[in-house]
């Protein structure tokens, strides 16, 4: 069972983080979770200094930015909370990702919902910077949301790529539970990675591919049956080619609320090896992506 007691939504007050907040609110309400709104105050990176040649007094500047941040967060809590339990926190730091990750560890956060870009500068929530570090280093699942994506539940459909690893099995279980909770339909997708063979192999390659597709469908059906959640309507798709490209192409050609994908939850330097397929999918898709690590509960 998914346990979502605390959800963290980092905000930079951009349209992108506003959209992340919309999705975080929907999830928090459904799971009766406490929603934490978080803003990192980064000295000299805030807009207040971008066109100012003066060297500000640190304490005075921090006090001003803290006051502005607290006011904005308090307004959001007052406007958005409704029946949702919410709290707001702003912290000073030199790295937004480090502050977010440290807070997530301190508060034992169960899910982070983050925008994949924010203001018109690379220093903010641009994938490859803050969001990427959160994805790689967070101990809990992370949901990435772009500015132009719709709120969970709009299309009633989830896409779950399957590669038959223990990691994708974890993503399957997570995705099915979300689908069951929201009454959503699920499509399981497997991509047979294309390999260049010598031309003299001829028709035998087509036969092999056909057999692999059939076997893939059979194995997906078996895995799905073992996973439970019989109430979730499920479709199956098998494609051939580069996994990341095929996943993105299929997701963009159809309408999905969410893509649930796995990455390994290893420690140490392996944190920086999120997985090329997962990383490429997140970088090229405009659908919210829920990244689940094997260690996620």
């Amino acid at each position: 069972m998914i346990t979502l007691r605390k959800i963290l939504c980092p905000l930079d007050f951009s349209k992108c983080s506003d959209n992340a907040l919309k999705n975080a609110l929907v999830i928090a309400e459904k799971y009766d979770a406490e929603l934490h709104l978080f803003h990192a105050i980064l000295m000299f990176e805030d807009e207040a200094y971008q066109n100012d040649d003066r060297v500000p007094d640190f304490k005075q500047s921090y006090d001003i930015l803290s006051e502005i941040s607290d006011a904005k967060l308090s307004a959001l809590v007052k406007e958005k909370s409704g029946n949702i339990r919410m709290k707001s926190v702003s912290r000073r730091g030199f790295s937004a990702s480090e502050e977010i990750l440290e807070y997530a560890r301190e508060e034992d956060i169960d899910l982070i919902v983050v925008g994949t870009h924010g203001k018109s500068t690379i220093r903010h929530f641009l994938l490859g910077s803050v969001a990427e570090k959160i994805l790689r280093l967070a101990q809990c699942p992370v949901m990435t949301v772009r500015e132009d994506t719709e709120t969970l539940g709009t299309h009633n459909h989830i896409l779950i790529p399957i590669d038959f690893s223990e990691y994708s099995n974890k993503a399957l279980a997570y995705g099915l539970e979300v689908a069951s909770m929201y009454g959503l339909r699920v499509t399981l997708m497997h991509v047979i990675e294309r390999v260049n063979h010598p031309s003299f192999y001829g028709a035998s390659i087509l036969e092999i591919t056909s057999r692999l597709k059939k076997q893939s469908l059979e194995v997906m059906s078996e895995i799905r049956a073992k996973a439970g959640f019989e109430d979730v309507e499920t479709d199956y798709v098998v494609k051939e080619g580069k996994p990341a490209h095929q996943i993105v192409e299929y997701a963009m050609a159809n309408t999905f609320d969410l893509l649930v994908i796995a990455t390994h939850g290893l420690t140490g330097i392996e944190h920086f090896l999120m997985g090329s397929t997962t990383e490429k999918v997140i970088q090229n898709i405009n659908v919210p992506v829920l990244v689940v690590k094997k260690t996620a509960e």
Side-chain angles (χ1 to χ4, degrees):
M1 290 288 293
I2 298 174
T3 301
L4 293 185
R5 298 160 300 171
K6 298 180 181 180
I7 299 172
L8 174 60
C9 185
L11 300 174
D12 65 357
F13 308 118
S14 68
K15 290 183 179 179
C16 184
S17 69
D18 287 347
N19 203 22
L21 176 57
K22 289 178 183 178
N23 282 274
L25 286 165
V26 170
I27 299 170
E29 183 174 18
K30 198 71 173 180
Y31 281 88
D32 191 27
E34 183 178 62
L35 180 58
H36 295 223
L37 308 186
F38 184 95
H39 178 67
I41 301 171
L42 307 180
M43 303 303 287
F44 299 112
E45 289 196 6
D46 197 274
E47 285 181 346
Y49 301 125
Q50 289 182 6
N51 298 308
D52 196 337
D53 295 329
R54 295 170 297 172
V55 178
D57 174 82
F58 280 99
K59 185 180 185 307
Q60 182 182 8
S61 301
Y62 175 66
D63 289 343
I64 293 172
L65 290 175
S66 294
E67 185 178 342
I68 294 172
S69 173
D70 291 344
K72 287 184 176 180
L73 290 174
S74 296
L76 283 173
V77 170
K78 185 177 181 180
E79 177 188 355
K80 305 289 187 180
S81 59
N83 296 322
I84 300 172
R85 291 173 289 119
M86 297 176 67
K87 65 183 295 186
S88 61
V89 177
S90 60
R91 284 192 179 183
R92 173 184 178 181
F94 294 98
S95 167
S97 57
E98 289 179 8
E99 294 301 324
I100 293 165
L101 290 165
E102 182 179 357
Y103 182 82
R105 287 190 294 268
E106 290 174 358
E107 291 292 324
D108 195 21
I109 294 296
D110 299 299
L111 173 68
I112 301 175
V113 182
V114 62
T116 53
H117 70 79
K119 300 176 184 177
S120 57
T121 166
I122 198 168
R123 291 177 303 208
H124 291 273
F125 288 85
L126 182 67
L127 190 64
S129 180
V130 175
E132 183 178 12
K133 289 178 183 177
I134 293 172
L135 281 164
R136 288 177 172 173
L137 297 172
Q139 298 173 356
C140 63
V142 178
M143 181 176 171
T144 63
V145 180
R146 291 188 183 273
E147 181 178 334
D148 56 349
T149 56
E150 297 178 282
T151 307
L152 184 63
T154 303
H155 303 293
N156 301 317
H157 205 170
I158 293 177
L159 177 63
I160 309 176
I162 299 291
D163 65 3
F164 307 127
S165 69
E166 57 182 326
Y167 306 109
S168 68
N169 288 342
K170 185 71 180 183
L172 172 61
Y174 209 101
L176 286 172
E177 183 165 341
V178 171
S180 179
M181 175 69 78
Y182 284 90
L184 307 181
R185 179 180 170 191
V186 161
T187 291
L188 305 188
M189 179 180 185
H190 177 68
V191 181
I192 301 171
E193 190 157 8
R194 183 178 296 154
V195 179
N196 292 324
H197 297 281
S199 59
F200 65 80
Y201 281 14
S204 62
I205 297 302
L206 295 178
E207 295 172 2
I208 293 172
T209 300
S210 177
R211 188 163 65 248
L212 285 173
K213 287 183 177 180
K214 182 179 179 181
Q215 291 175 344
S216 297
L217 287 169
E218 291 174 352
V219 175
M220 276 199 293
S221 296
E222 292 173 3
I223 293 173
R224 171 65 185 89
K226 292 178 181 177
F229 298 102
E230 291 81 4
D231 59 314
V232 177
E233 184 179 350
T234 306
D235 299 317
Y236 303 89
V237 173
V238 178
K239 297 287 186 178
E240 180 189 3
K242 294 294 183 181
H245 175 76
Q246 290 297 325
I247 292 168
V248 171
E249 185 178 76
Y250 185 79
M252 301 289 276
N254 295 274
T255 51
F256 293 99
D257 294 278
L258 183 68
L259 185 147
V260 182
I261 195 167
T263 185
H264 48 63
L266 302 177
T267 58
I269 196 168
E270 286 91 350
H271 272 307
F272 294 94
L273 304 173
M274 186 168 63
S276 59
T277 296
T278 301
E279 203 157 8
K280 288 176 183 175
V281 167
I282 296 169
Q283 289 171 343
N284 293 286
I285 203 167
N286 65 355
V287 176
V289 180
L290 178 60
V291 180
V292 181
K293 295 183 178 180
K294 186 177 74 70
T295 53
E297 297 298 335

